[in-house]
Structure formats: C-alpha cells, structure tokens
Amino acid sequence: MTTNKRATFGSKLGVILATVGCAVGLGNIWRFPYMVGANGGAAFILIYLVCILLLGIPVMITEFFIGRHSHRNAAGAFKVMAPGTKWSFIGYNGVLGAFLILGFYSVVSGWTLEYILQACTGSLAGKSAAEFTAEFETFSSGIFRPILWTALFIGMTHVIIMSGVKKGIERASKVMMPVLFLILCALCVRSVTLPDASEGLRFLLQPDFSKIRSSVVLSAMGQAFFSLSIGMGCLITYSSYFGKHTNLQTTAIQVTLLDTLVAVLAGIMIFPAVFSFGIAPTAGPELVFITLPNVFEQMPLGNLWSLVFFVLLALAALTSTISLHEVATAYMHEEWQMTRSRAAVYVSLGVLFFGSISSLSMGVLSEYTIGGLNFFDLLDYITAKIMLPLGGMLICLFVGQRVDKKILKAELTNEGTIPFYFFNTYAFFMKYLWPIAIGIIFLNELGLLRWLTGE
Ligand code: PHE
C-alpha cells in the first residue's frame, strides 16, 4: 500500500474542526454533566481541568506525532514505526475499541433521533416526570424502534465516510461544529436567564474542597480521556491526514480548549435549568433523556427547546461516530487492501450487528449478562474502562521507551521550524510519569486498586 496518495485535510480550519468533532460528543454533553453532578460540582471540574492540562494535551500531542509521522491508520502506524514488534497491539486495541464503542455509542445516538421526532410531533408536551421515565424505559427496551434509529444513525455516518476525508469528514465537520456551538450558546443563554439560575451556576463554579477524594480525582482523569478521545486510535487516524505544515502542538491545545469549552458550556446549559426546576443534579446517565425533556417541557416553548437540544446532541454524536467509523474503515482499507467503500460497508454492517444486540440487551436480551452487565453495559465497560486507559498508557510507553527523541522532536517542531518549549520535560513525563499515572487510573477503574489497598 503506497502512502503518498493518501488523503489530507484541506485546510487548517478543517483540521481543527474535524478533530474537535471527534473529541466533542456524548462525552461532553451527556457524560460530563452527569459526572459533575455525581461528583460534587465545581471541585470535580477543577480537577478535570488540571487533568486536561497536564495529561490530556501531552498525550494528544503524542497521538498526533504517531499519526502524522507514520501517515498510516491506527494499527498500520505501529507497523511502520516499530516493524515486527508487539507494539502494533496498541493499534489493534484501538481499531477493535473503536468498533466496540460504536456498538453502544450508535444506540445512544439513535435515541437522539427518536427524541428529535418526538419534539417535532409535539408528543413530549404535557408529560409528568413519571411519564418521561416510563416512556424512556418502554422505548429503549423495545425491539424495532431503537434498532431502526440505530441503523439510521449508522447510515448517516456511513454516507459521510463514503464521501471521503476531505469532502465527507472535513466538510461535514465544518458545517456541524459551528452549528453545534451556536445552538449550545443559545441554550446556555436560555438556561442562565431562568429564575434561580444562580444556584446552578454556584454548583458549577464554587468548589467545595471537602468533596475531593481519590475517587473524584480518578473519575476526572477517566473523563478527560474519554472526552478527548485519547487512547483509541482516533487521533492517530485523524492526524495521519494532517499536512506537514500543521502545528501539532497548537492544534492539540486548540482542540483541547474547544472540547473543554463545550463540556463547560454543556454544564452551564444543564445545571441552572435543573436547579431552577428543583430537579436533583445527581440524576445520573438519564439526566439527558429523562430529566432534561422534563425541564424543557416546563419552560415556555418547551418543545422547541427540546428539539434544539436533541439536534445538538445528535450533531455532537455524529461527528464522533464518524471518527470512530474512520478508525476501522481506514484500517481495513489500508491493511487489508480493500477499497474504501467496501471497508466502510463492512464496518457499518458490523456496527449494525453489535448495535442491534446492544440495543436488544436493554430489553428482550436483558437476562443475558456477563458479570452482571448486559451487552450494552459490557461494551461500555470493556472499552471505556479497559481498552481506552490501556491504549493511552501503552501509547505513552511506546513514545517514551521506543521512539528516538530526535525523531520525536523533529516531527513536533516541523523539522525545527517551530519551537517546542519544555521538550525535555515532556519527553521525561512520557517516559515515566504518565504511564504510571494512567496505570493508576486503569487499576482503579477495574477496582484493583481498592482490592490492593484493602479499602
Ligand atoms: N470523545 C467522544 C465524546 O466525548 C467519545 C469518543 C471516545 C470518540 C473515543 C472517539 C474515541 O463523546
């Protein structure tokens, strides 16, 4: 497979928006607010920001290095950089992980389409909190409807992937990301102008340090990884489409800042509204699908706000499903020497299969569990709690232990044309500190730390 005919993103803006699209997703708008709610508000946000700064940006720069240096897909990159070694495991872990994440992510993404339809037909109006809960449960445990929406969402992703890197991914991101940002700002303004919104803002902005404990720190680190799409090969794949003039350092900083901004704005959009209507901020994962429609329906023009919100969620999810799909498509296209469209068809069909089973596991297949988890939760658990931190840790180890520092520096400074301040500190952290830090998250997520410390 030749690498010189490879696609690249066409512009600097395209690079940023496509990569921000990969990072910004359900993780920012659904998972972040619920984690903030469950972990005590502002104190969690503060630690999250520290994690983003110290861990997120350096690891993202490292993934960009691997992708652009090799100009290959997530698995091929390691074959180019460390031929004949076991390091390619990192890439396979990423490709498989992307596949499995899509297996549940596309189901949740499909739900957003159902809620968009409901908001359009006005059927969310006039419901009580109990009715919202019951309807969500009936819908998500059903057979055909959720699978149909999942299939439609995969179909939308497929169409964009088939259009290619520049015409598909880049163009779609250039339209969707600004729209997403505008909708988010409009919803924030609406939320903070509600009566008693200040209580929600205080929850977000005034840290209560007594709430900080090790589990909060570790959850914040895990969330930073998920939100920035680190450890899955997505950033390696996208950066393989970066041109040689792309500044990897500033791109990583810009993407991280925008991703964080969206997460914080999502908090500002959700919590003032939740407090204003006297709903518990600790609602958990159902915050977005049960609590929020309930909040919106109590506002004037409720249906419209619900519609706008679920369109926002669908857009954010779509730019992430594209990036996950691309990881597997690029891998099959380049490593298995098949055409891009054939690779995309296989990936979509595979994801539809996993998606259908994980959707059914919320209903008819719910009694089939492994370790108490149904298939949907199992995919979530295996990817977010095992494959992602493992990938992140190994990526740091790979660059810290295996890559020649001169090559690393040359790539990150565009052959010495841009500066990299604190390069030695960065290289030292990659080699020792981050693998250990991420190893700790990993052990904690698996519950092994508690077992080791006997807590
Ligand atoms: N970062 C995405 C989100 O916040 C999720 C994701 C994880 C996407 C890993 C790609 C890879 O929703």
Side-chain angles (χ1 to χ4, degrees):
M1 192 73 221
T2 51
T3 51
N4 50 2
K5 275 193 286 168
R6 230 162 167 274
T8 49
F9 289 126
S11 64
K12 205 168 145 191
L13 187 69
V15 164
I16 305 272
L17 292 183
T19 317
V20 171
C22 160
V24 169
L26 297 175
N28 303 61
I29 302 171
W30 164 71
R31 199 170 190 265
F32 179 76
Y34 124 64
M35 296 287 284
V36 170
N39 287 292
F44 174 87
I45 298 185
L46 208 66
I47 303 169
Y48 175 78
L49 293 179
V50 173
C51 293
I52 287 282
L53 209 68
L54 295 184
L55 200 59
I57 294 177
V59 177
M60 188 179 284
I61 291 177
T62 306
E63 288 208 26
F64 285 172
F65 157 74
I66 297 172
R68 198 190 48 188
H69 187 68
S70 64
H71 278 299
R72 286 284 277 272
N73 58 82
F78 294 93
K79 288 196 198 155
V80 170
M81 293 173 69
T85 64
K86 299 223 160 39
W87 287 108
S88 349
F89 170 79
I90 305 176
Y92 298 126
N93 178 64
V95 173
L96 184 67
F99 221 98
L100 299 180
I101 288 185
L102 270 177
F104 71 91
Y105 204 94
S106 58
V107 174
V108 181
S109 307
W111 295 346
T112 63
L113 301 181
E114 163 78 15
Y115 277 77
I116 289 175
L117 179 73
Q118 289 208 20
C120 284
T121 56
S123 49
L124 292 174
K127 285 197 179 123
S128 66
E131 283 169 323
F132 274 114
T133 311
E135 294 240 329
F136 175 73
E137 273 159 16
T138 314
F139 160 68
S140 59
S141 61
I143 297 180
F144 297 112
R145 243 178 129 87
I147 292 185
L148 227 60
W149 289 125
T150 304
L152 187 64
F153 210 90
I154 297 169
M156 283 158 49
T157 310
H158 184 87
V159 169
I160 297 173
I161 289 291
M162 291 282 268
S163 316
V165 171
K166 211 181 279 187
K167 287 212 185 105
I169 301 176
E170 183 171 349
R171 196 191 283 169
S173 309
K174 272 184 170 167
V175 176
M176 289 196 276
M177 293 319 288
V179 173
L180 180 145
F181 199 71
L182 285 179
I183 296 179
L184 192 56
C185 289
L187 283 167
C188 280
V189 171
R190 172 70 271 217
S191 188
V192 295
T193 49
L194 287 169
D196 294 327
S198 56
E199 212 182 316
L201 287 177
R202 205 167 313 123
F203 178 75
L204 274 177
L205 303 174
Q206 219 172 60
D208 172 0
F209 290 103
S210 67
K211 297 239 165 78
I212 298 182
R213 43 186 61 86
S214 69
S215 64
V216 175
V217 177
L218 297 166
S219 304
M221 275 205 240
Q223 172 63 19
F225 263 58
F226 186 82
S227 187
L228 292 177
S229 310
I230 289 172
M232 295 306 306
C234 275
L235 298 176
I236 296 179
T237 307
Y238 268 30
S239 55
S240 74
Y241 304 131
F242 289 2
K244 66 178 191 306
H245 295 299
T246 302
N247 184 332
L248 301 183
Q249 301 169 52
T250 51
T251 304
I253 293 170
Q254 285 159 342
V255 169
T256 306
L257 289 182
L258 285 169
D259 183 74
T260 309
L261 182 68
V262 170
V264 172
L265 285 178
I268 295 179
M269 158 181 78
I270 291 174
F271 288 107
V274 164
F275 274 86
S276 178
F277 290 99
I279 287 165
T282 47
E286 71 269 26
L287 193 67
V288 158
F289 289 99
I290 298 176
T291 311
L292 273 192
N294 188 21
V295 166
F296 289 136
E297 289 312 319
Q298 294 177 45
M299 299 192 215
L301 296 177
N303 251 336
L304 180 70
W305 292 114
S306 286
L307 175 64
V308 168
F309 173 76
F310 284 108
V311 168
L312 167 76
L313 203 57
L315 287 178
L318 186 58
T319 50
S320 291
T321 53
I322 295 170
S323 71
L324 288 158
H325 197 299
E326 180 63 21
V327 172
T329 303
Y331 165 71
M332 286 165 75
H333 168 48
E334 290 177 0
E335 302 304 312
W336 294 0
Q337 260 104 70
M338 57 171 71
T339 60
R340 194 176 151 85
S341 33
R342 180 176 288 221
V345 170
Y346 285 152
V347 174
S348 294
L349 289 178
V351 171
L352 183 59
F353 175 72
F354 278 121
S356 303
I357 299 183
S358 66
S359 178
L360 291 175
S361 76
M362 317 280 284
V364 287
L365 299 181
S366 60
E367 78 249 35
Y368 297 98
T369 57
I370 296 178
L373 300 174
N374 65 24
F375 191 68
F376 180 101
D377 294 332
L378 192 69
L379 289 184
D380 185 346
Y381 183 88
I382 293 176
T383 53
K385 297 206 168 156
I386 300 179
M387 301 176 87
L388 207 134
L390 184 66
M393 186 170 75
L394 292 175
I395 283 168
C396 293
L397 275 176
F398 172 72
V399 170
Q401 311 285 340
R402 164 94 199 185
V403 172
D404 183 344
K405 268 212 246 162
K406 279 200 212 87
I407 296 177
L408 180 65
K409 191 163 186 182
E411 189 70 52
L412 293 177
T413 58
N414 291 355
E415 307 300 329
T417 55
I418 47 173
F420 190 154
Y421 304 109
F422 310 113
F423 175 79
N424 287 335
T425 317
Y426 158 81
F428 174 81
F429 278 20
M430 274 301 142
K431 196 161 183 170
Y432 302 108
L433 211 60
W434 298 149
I436 295 173
I438 300 166
I440 293 174
I441 313 179
F442 185 48
L443 292 178
N444 175 68
E445 295 274 22
L446 291 177
L448 291 178
L449 205 62
R450 243 169 296 134
W451 183 71
L452 286 174
T453 55
E455 242 181 63

